Amino acid sequence: MSDIATEPAATRSKMQVSGETAIQITKMNKWYGAFHVLRDVDLTVFNGERIVICGPSGSGKSTLIRCINALEEHQRGEIVVDGTVLSSDLKNIDKIRSEVGMVFQHFNLFPHLTILENCTLAPIWVRKTPKKEAEETAMHFLEKVKIPEQANKYPGQLSGGQQQRVAIARSLCMKPRIMLFDEPTSALDPEMIKEVLDTMIELAEDGMTMLVVTHEMGFARQVANRVIFMDQGQIVEQNEPEAFFNNPQSDRTKLFLSQILGH
Amino acid sequence: MSDTSFVRQEMLSEQPAPASSVGFLGWIKNNLFSTWFNSILTVIALGFVWYILAGVLPWTFLSVWNAGSLSECREIARQVWGESHGHACWAVINDRWIQLLFGFYPSHLYWRPILAFVLLGFALAPVLFPQSSRKLLILSGLYPFILPWLMWGGSIWSPIMALIGFVMGYLAIKNLSERIGQLGAIFSSIFAAFLWWLLIGPVFVDLLSANIPIALESVASRDFGGFVLALLIGIVAIVCSLPIGIILALGRQSDLIIVKAFSVAFIEFIRGVPLITLLFVASLLLNLFLPPGTEFDIILRVMIMVTLFSSAYMAEVIRGGLAALPKGQYEGADSLGLDYWQAQRLIIMPQALKVSIPGIVSTFIGLFKDTTLVSIIGLMDPLGLSQGIRANAEWNGIYWELFAFIALLFFVVCFSMSRYSMYLERKLQTDHR
């Protein structure tokens, strides 16, 4: 599978893509028991690139990005994240995880800690940042996602959209080089989806390398410089958003697009 | 105008509820006399309550407080109220309450258990109430060494040497984990500690005790008894069983097959055996296995057995709490790069323990009441003492008053634990449901 040389569209002109590789996945295979979830997946992600992964449910798109920070273990093939080969060595895994931020569908905030504590926990314990400095960083990113005034509340007191923005800020506090988004808006009420997407767009404009599993095709059109369509554990089609949406090549892609854009 | 179209012109304001549905009268009407059937039940229940109180209250309060024996009690009751039955003889409590509290502990040393329990209050304060002074944590750390010294007496150097053993282990782990890895450091720290306790420490203890004799009068384990003994066993078992239970619960969920197999086997074996059996093992069988002449204190043996017993239950209670956590919490912790122990300590355990508070405290309460079983292997807990008191000619045949007093002592402690757990649950509630 060839990597597509990207030519940013006019709206994406601010976002720079460098030639350096952030993630390199070669011939990766994964099974759940006897079930073959991911089949010979090849993917190269460059620094600063924003990739949207879509596909029908059960196509393996979440599993793919969960393999990148070793939340799921792959059985065959190689994943290189930021120059480090992903192995089963725990130190290696923890190092990659601290460089790769992840945002989940159900936020996974820690309900027994305040928003501020949620954001400072990992910098303090993993990065050994002094508490004061970690709090300043946390407030900086909470301001960035526009909820600094909620810093001392608990996650249970916030709306879904606010919680998801906290989850993004929590990941950013670790100063990751890559951000993974696993259906970040799927558990949200429609009126809250926009505030989360706006935050993600802003993040993209800052040049963050992002892999986003989502059904928000508007977001894909506006932000992505590559859209990947997966089905039955394989990458079926990938292209620039304009070409992907206006001129899909594979029949599966056409069917999928007609189903999600059809109403 | 069509039926389906409607536009509200002004919003309605809030109005007070009707008088018959709020307030005291409203409550009575709704809860006690809502239907004719409920009214009949209410009347029957009131009659029942009246019947019980009419028996219990005169027995409790029309009672004899000063008498030398049960027969004297009955004589006084007959003189005052005419009828000897139906009046409590609290004189036995008046006569023997000190013994029920302290057992046969030497009376001139009563200040030692009292001081030990007062210090316990200060040592527990920073653990139970986060708003108390952090400096007390030093006392909490030293208390496990102060308690046995105050209770059993002896040279001050023994507890100090025991403490130094832990310091040695800590130093070993701190200095070596960089060089030889975590697992190696843990083993060498255990080795260092035991080397100190078994070989080097005793030499120092003998040397120091001979030259600088600072010691409290020794009290033998057979003199321990009463509520002090129940509290002593209960507190040690409660404090030790929680961490052991946590380790066992984690072990049971571990991917390491040996750790898991050991945890499951331990939990299932201990839970499958009555506590009495374990206590008999502690009092009789253990002597057969130990080399002849080994001094292994009976109270210590009982403490270990009770601790193991309750830690198996604790492990299952905590496993319930772990099961209640969504998988996302583990993934959230993992995705931030926290390692296993950090994730457990900072994310998983605080939540799992919070969920299990009612179960944990129930286990504590059950454990504390189970300490009365030690009377069966001959330790003088309050129940054992009550038998001893009845064996006297003066108090032969007195049951209810002793049991009521012992029940009251246990109730005060257990009820306090229960109230504390409710306070803790309210305080830790952050989900604002």
Side-chain angles (χ1 to χ4, degrees):
Chain A
M1 203 158 292
S2 68
D3 298 306
I4 292 156
T6 44
E7 254 183 5
T11 50
R12 281 169 259 139
S13 58
K14 283 196 265 179
M15 313 166 186
Q16 297 295 315
V17 177
S18 76
E20 290 166 43
T21 320
I23 302 169
Q24 173 93 49
I25 301 175
T26 5
K27 292 267 175 238
M28 195 252 283
N29 279 272
K30 173 168 179 62
W31 288 263
Y32 282 127
F35 177 56
H36 201 170
V37 206
L38 292 176
R39 310 178 189 176
D40 274 352
V41 175
D42 285 299
L43 178 64
T44 307
V45 182
F46 295 104
N47 270 340
E49 214 179 358
R50 298 161 302 281
I51 295 180
V52 164
I53 304 173
C54 59
S57 82
S59 60
K61 47 196 194 307
S62 285
T63 312
L64 172 63
I65 67 166
R66 289 160 61 88
C67 281
I68 294 173
N69 67 351
L71 283 183
E72 302 281 356
E73 203 182 355
H74 63 284
Q75 277 89 19
R76 200 183 294 161
E78 192 183 57
I79 302 178
V80 182
V81 182
D82 220 16
T84 315
V85 181
L86 192 59
S87 67
S88 57
D89 178 29
L90 284 179
K91 282 217 169 103
N92 186 336
I93 289 177
D94 284 338
K95 178 174 176 295
I96 286 175
R97 281 176 179 163
S98 63
E99 302 292 334
V100 179
M102 178 132 186
V103 176
F104 299 87
Q105 182 178 0
H106 296 287
F107 331 135
N108 295 356
L109 294 177
F110 306 130
H112 63 301
L113 300 175
T114 62
I115 301 306
L116 189 63
E117 287 165 341
N118 263 282
C119 292
T120 56
L121 183 101
I124 289 175
W125 291 95
V126 179
R127 290 252 192 272
K128 314 287 179 206
T129 315
K131 186 166 180 237
K132 199 154 179 286
E133 197 186 317
E135 280 176 354
E136 280 164 13
T137 314
M139 285 314 292
H140 167 75
F141 283 114
L142 286 175
E143 268 159 36
K144 204 167 163 53
V145 301
K146 302 191 181 65
I147 31 178
E149 72 281 0
Q150 314 281 7
N152 292 314
K153 291 194 181 168
Y154 287 93
Q157 295 165 290
L158 269 54
S159 74
Q162 289 174 323
Q163 290 193 45
Q164 193 60 297
R165 284 185 283 151
V166 171
I168 295 173
R170 179 177 76 174
S171 290
L172 291 177
C173 285
M174 286 295 279
K175 309 258 172 72
R177 316 198 28 164
I178 301 162
M179 285 284 284
L180 310 173
F181 293 83
D182 187 1
E183 307 207 20
T185 56
S186 300
L188 296 177
D189 291 339
E191 63 208 270
M192 295 171 180
I193 292 180
K194 187 175 178 300
E195 61 186 59
V196 171
L197 289 182
D198 284 346
T199 309
M200 290 167 63
I201 291 170
E202 222 177 278
L203 194 59
E205 284 169 356
D206 290 347
M208 176 65 76
T209 311
M210 294 163 70
L211 262 80
V212 186
V213 172
T214 185
H215 298 292
E216 295 295 330
M217 292 303 135
F219 173 81
R221 272 180 197 274
Q222 193 186 342
V223 176
N225 36 21
R226 196 170 4 147
V227 180
I228 291 178
F229 173 69
M230 285 184 75
D231 194 17
Q232 295 178 7
Q234 299 147 68
I235 294 181
V236 175
E237 185 164 349
Q238 58 174 323
N239 211 333
E240 287 177 53
E242 307 300 328
F244 179 85
F245 289 112
N246 300 334
N247 190 14
Q249 301 297 314
S250 128
D251 289 342
R252 291 175 183 281
T253 317
K254 283 176 194 158
L255 180 67
F256 176 75
L257 287 178
S258 74
Q259 277 164 345
I260 66 165
L261 299 175
H263 54 86
Chain B
M1 201 160 53
S2 90
D3 288 351
T4 50
S5 156
F6 169 76
V7 178
R8 183 174 287 286
Q9 296 302 324
E10 52 185 313
M11 305 304 279
L12 300 177
S13 58
E14 201 176 332
Q15 292 186 0
S20 63
S21 66
V22 290
F24 182 64
L25 281 179
W27 184 88
I28 289 201
K29 184 170 174 293
N30 283 330
N31 291 287
L32 301 181
F33 299 101
S34 55
T35 64
W36 62 269
F37 182 66
N38 281 355
S39 306
I40 291 175
L41 285 184
T42 302
V43 171
I44 293 175
L46 281 177
F48 184 70
V49 170
W50 168 255
Y51 176 75
I52 298 283
L53 289 182
V56 170
L57 289 181
W59 181 82
T60 312
F61 293 103
L62 302 180
S63 51
V64 180
W65 277 93
N66 292 299
S69 69
L70 184 59
S71 48
E72 204 182 319
C73 254
R74 287 185 177 145
E75 188 55 40
I76 293 172
R78 191 176 296 119
Q79 281 171 10
V80 179
W81 295 289
E83 181 59 44
S84 70
H85 288 291
H87 301 287
C89 177
W90 297 117
V92 64
I93 307 299
N94 199 4
D95 189 31
R96 297 296 184 100
W97 67 274
I98 289 186
Q99 198 184 13
L100 281 169
L101 289 183
F102 292 96
F104 300 107
Y105 208 86
S107 55
H108 65 287
L109 299 178
Y110 280 168
W111 64 272
R112 275 162 45 179
I114 293 172
L115 178 63
F117 288 123
V118 170
L119 284 180
L120 176 73
F122 286 105
L124 283 181
V127 182
L128 298 184
F129 305 101
Q131 64 270 35
S132 52
S133 163
R134 294 288 93 188
K135 282 178 192 152
L136 282 174
L137 274 175
I138 300 172
L139 178 65
S140 314
L142 293 178
Y143 191 76
F145 305 96
I146 298 175
L147 175 71
W149 187 55
L150 277 177
M151 296 303 291
W152 276 275
S155 165
I156 194 175
W157 300 112
S158 308
I160 289 181
M161 287 303 137
L163 176 61
I164 290 177
F166 281 101
V167 175
M168 303 276 275
Y170 171 74
L171 288 180
I173 224 170
K174 197 171 176 226
N175 292 325
L176 292 178
S177 60
E178 294 279 295
R179 265 175 265 168
I180 55 173
Q182 219 163 15
L183 201 66
I186 290 173
F187 278 116
S188 37
S189 94
I190 294 173
F191 177 75
F194 274 92
L195 186 74
W196 175 265
W197 284 327
L198 297 179
L199 293 176
I200 309 173
V203 179
F204 274 95
V205 171
D206 289 344
L207 213 66
L208 284 165
S209 315
N211 294 310
I212 317 168
I214 306 175
L216 286 174
E217 190 179 327
S218 287
V219 180
S221 283
R222 63 175 177 278
D223 293 336
F224 280 60
F227 202 57
V228 165
L229 178 66
L231 277 176
L232 189 64
I233 297 174
I235 287 163
V236 170
I238 282 174
V239 170
C240 297
S241 65
L242 185 61
I244 298 177
I246 291 175
I247 302 280
L248 284 172
L250 291 179
R252 193 166 187 162
Q253 295 205 320
S254 170
D255 295 332
L256 308 171
I257 189 84
I258 297 177
V259 174
K260 182 175 179 157
F262 172 79
S263 306
V264 172
F266 180 90
I267 292 169
E268 296 303 337
F269 174 73
I270 297 277
R271 283 202 311 166
V273 174
L275 178 56
I276 290 280
T277 323
L278 293 177
L279 291 178
F280 274 122
V281 169
S283 81
L284 304 170
L285 273 179
L286 225 52
N287 279 344
L288 298 179
F289 299 127
L290 293 170
T294 320
E295 278 285 320
F296 195 14
D297 190 89
I298 177 71
I299 293 181
L300 185 61
R301 278 182 277 167
V302 165
M303 280 174 179
I304 291 173
M305 285 302 178
V306 176
T307 303
L308 294 183
F309 186 76
S310 56
S311 58
Y313 281 88
M314 195 62 66
E316 288 299 279
V317 169
I318 292 168
R319 192 166 67 96
L322 287 172
L325 282 196
K327 195 164 161 254
Q329 291 295 307
Y330 293 88
E331 292 179 348
D334 282 346
S335 75
L336 288 170
L338 296 169
D339 66 30
Y340 177 80
W341 290 108
Q342 285 173 335
Q344 288 299 338
R345 187 158 50 97
L346 302 167
I347 309 297
I348 307 302
M349 273 306 150
Q351 296 183 62
L353 291 179
K354 188 187 115 188
V355 176
S356 350
I357 287 174
I360 291 176
V361 173
S362 287
T363 312
F364 282 166
I365 289 175
L367 149 71
F368 183 60
K369 291 185 297 182
D370 279 351
T371 58
T372 51
L373 289 175
V374 300
S375 63
I376 289 180
I377 57 165
L379 290 182
M380 284 294 150
D381 88 306
L383 279 187
L385 280 170
S386 78
Q387 273 173 340
I389 291 170
R390 266 196 305 282
N392 282 318
E394 302 101 69
W395 299 115
N396 198 349
I398 195 156
Y399 285 93
W400 288 100
E401 291 82 352
L402 287 170
F403 288 149
F405 179 68
I406 295 166
L408 181 70
L409 290 179
F410 275 91
F411 178 78
V412 168
V413 175
C414 295
F415 189 65
S416 318
M417 281 197 258
S418 159
R419 297 310 296 187
Y420 172 76
S421 87
M422 290 168 80
Y423 153 82
L424 197 61
E425 274 178 73
R426 270 199 310 279
K427 193 169 74 83
L428 294 180
Q429 185 172 7
T430 57
D431 50 358
H432 306 275
R433 271 190 287 229

